[in-house]
Amino acid sequence: MYPIHRNRRLRTNESIRSLVRETTISPNDFMFPMFVAEGTGVEVPLGSMPGLFRRSLDLTVKEVKELWSLGIKAVNIYVKVNDKLKDNAGKEAWNKDGLMQQTIRAIKDAVPGMIVMPDVALDPYSIHGHDGIVENGLIINDATVDALTRMSVSHAEAGADFVAPSDMMDGRVYAIRKALEESGYHDVGIMSYSAKYASAFYGPFRDALDSAPGFGDKKTYQMDYANRIEAIKEALHDVEEGADIVMVKPGMAYLDIVREVKNAVNVPVAVYQVSGEYAMVKAAAERGWLDHDKIMMEQLYCIKRAGADIISTYFAKEAAIILNK
């Protein structure tokens, strides 16, 4: 009751605001998505993602060392596959000497403590740009799951700490967990993209990897953005199947889903603040419409407040620099 209770007393200055702050973030909360290309000394700017690059393995390792020095302890890895290596089955995905496998080994050799979570999906390897094997214009679930298990085991053999299936095929988490166990990789975790929506926010990412679908869209496997309960069901299924971490993707437009999933599961929840969300902030800031750093930090706090334990974000390095100050 006013004036006995004056809520503004706890907002008087920064010292008291920081003392009673409910949500905090640190570099420990971040994963940094990285794009890897073939070659040496290669650094290709990503036009729709200002400040980011597709780098060759040698420069990727250099950047990983910088990330580690900033306190960032996890990276997501995505590779740009040569078109000559693409087919419908995605066989290059489990090549023990493939670019992804080389990248995992190189990062773990250079920075053993860095948690490496390679992407598990066929779209970078597919001639069709889809996350699964195509037959008669349809994405085939079970044959794709078999390919994803082979891909996951090859990542574990290369030294991955977690595998990160982002494909949204049914039953893939259980199949991957079973394959990892049978291959002796008991300690390799699974971070499942459990609630991955069919979103228009992914456009810049697909430019970065040249992985846009060659026909149709991904709505037969990625989720309808009108749905909420379905996300909870997907997350619970993945936990039952052996997921150690579940992910919601995209981020800012789906914070209601983040909270619902966080309330439903008993494992850490990751959120992917995706390329389109990053690009919008960059574009508005370049035009002077928004204060870049303030918007960036506000969004990261909002994602954490909604229930994220882990934030995969292209802002990780910039945010870590600010937080370390």
Side-chain angles (χ1 to χ4, degrees):
M1 292 174 58
Y2 175 87
I4 297 173
H5 294 293
R6 291 178 181 265
N7 295 333
R8 289 182 57 192
R9 291 181 191 130
L10 298 182
R11 305 175 199 148
T12 303
N13 54 52
E14 177 56 25
S15 295
I16 188 62
R17 290 193 296 271
S18 62
L19 188 65
V20 300
R21 187 162 291 142
E22 299 172 33
T23 303
T24 60
I25 59 174
S26 79
N28 291 326
D29 297 315
F30 300 146
M31 290 190 292
F32 188 58
M34 307 186 76
F35 301 103
V36 186
E38 293 180 340
T40 302
V42 175
E43 187 173 73
V44 179
L46 303 180
S48 54
M49 301 174 72
L52 297 179
F53 301 85
R54 186 168 61 238
R55 292 185 169 98
S56 52
L57 186 50
D58 54 325
L59 298 182
T60 297
V61 168
K62 182 180 178 182
E63 186 172 31
V64 168
K65 292 179 179 178
E66 181 185 357
L67 295 170
W68 184 258
S69 72
L70 292 170
I72 296 168
K73 299 180 174 67
V75 290
N76 299 126
I77 304 299
Y78 304 89
V79 294
K80 170 69 170 67
V81 179
N82 189 308
D83 287 345
K84 295 179 181 179
L85 299 175
K86 296 181 179 182
D87 60 20
N88 185 32
K91 292 189 293 291
E92 179 64 16
W94 55 87
N95 177 3
K96 67 177 182 179
D97 295 316
L99 181 58
M100 178 67 86
Q101 289 77 2
Q102 292 180 48
T103 302
I104 295 167
R105 288 193 292 267
I107 292 174
K108 294 302 291 185
D109 286 345
V111 188
M114 182 64 79
I115 301 299
V116 179
M117 298 191 183
D119 180 54
V120 176
L122 295 186
D123 50 330
Y125 304 89
S126 169
I127 54 174
H128 301 293
H130 275 284
D131 291 39
I133 295 169
V134 178
E135 291 183 10
N136 300 319
L138 301 175
I139 313 305
I140 305 303
N141 192 93
D142 294 2
T144 298
V145 169
D146 290 340
L148 297 173
T149 60
R150 298 181 70 174
M151 185 178 182
S152 297
V153 171
S154 78
H155 291 176
E157 290 173 346
D161 301 281
F162 282 73
V163 294
S166 64
D167 55 285
M168 291 297 289
M169 298 296 125
D170 292 333
R172 90 276 206 213
V173 172
Y174 176 72
I176 291 169
R177 184 71 269 161
K178 186 171 181 285
L180 290 172
E181 292 294 321
E182 291 174 350
S183 301
Y185 297 108
H186 312 298
D187 295 329
V188 174
I190 299 174
M191 181 183 70
S192 174
Y193 289 56
S194 298
K196 181 178 181 181
Y197 285 85
S199 171
F201 284 104
Y202 304 149
F205 176 95
R206 292 172 181 169
D207 291 343
L209 289 186
D210 186 25
S211 62
F215 67 90
D217 53 39
K218 300 190 176 187
K219 292 182 179 180
T220 66
Y221 46 101
Q222 293 179 1
M223 286 177 50
D224 185 341
Y225 55 67
N227 293 353
R228 177 181 60 85
I229 295 172
E230 184 183 8
I232 302 169
K233 178 180 70 174
E234 289 278 3
L236 289 173
H237 283 176
D238 284 357
V239 172
E240 290 173 359
E241 292 180 15
D244 302 282
I245 302 169
V246 296
M247 177 181 275
V248 175
K249 180 181 181 181
M252 286 302 297
Y254 295 80
L255 296 187
D256 60 321
I257 307 300
V258 176
R259 174 45 58 186
E260 294 273 13
V261 170
K262 178 65 175 176
N263 289 344
V265 302
N266 58 1
V267 299
V269 175
V271 173
Y272 198 147
Q273 187 184 31
V274 299
S275 58
E277 297 173 279
Y278 173 89
M280 289 192 300
V281 174
K282 291 292 182 181
E286 285 177 358
R287 288 160 178 76
W289 296 343
L290 295 174
D291 183 306
H292 176 277
D293 290 353
K294 289 181 179 179
I295 289 292
M296 172 181 71
M297 297 307 295
E298 181 177 344
Q299 289 193 348
L300 293 171
Y301 268 93
C302 290
I303 293 170
K304 184 75 182 292
R305 188 194 66 220
D309 300 288
I310 303 164
I311 305 173
S312 183
T313 175
Y314 302 100
F315 288 120
K317 188 158 59 172
E318 294 170 280
I321 291 170
I322 290 174
L323 290 168
N324 287 335
K325 289 179 180 178

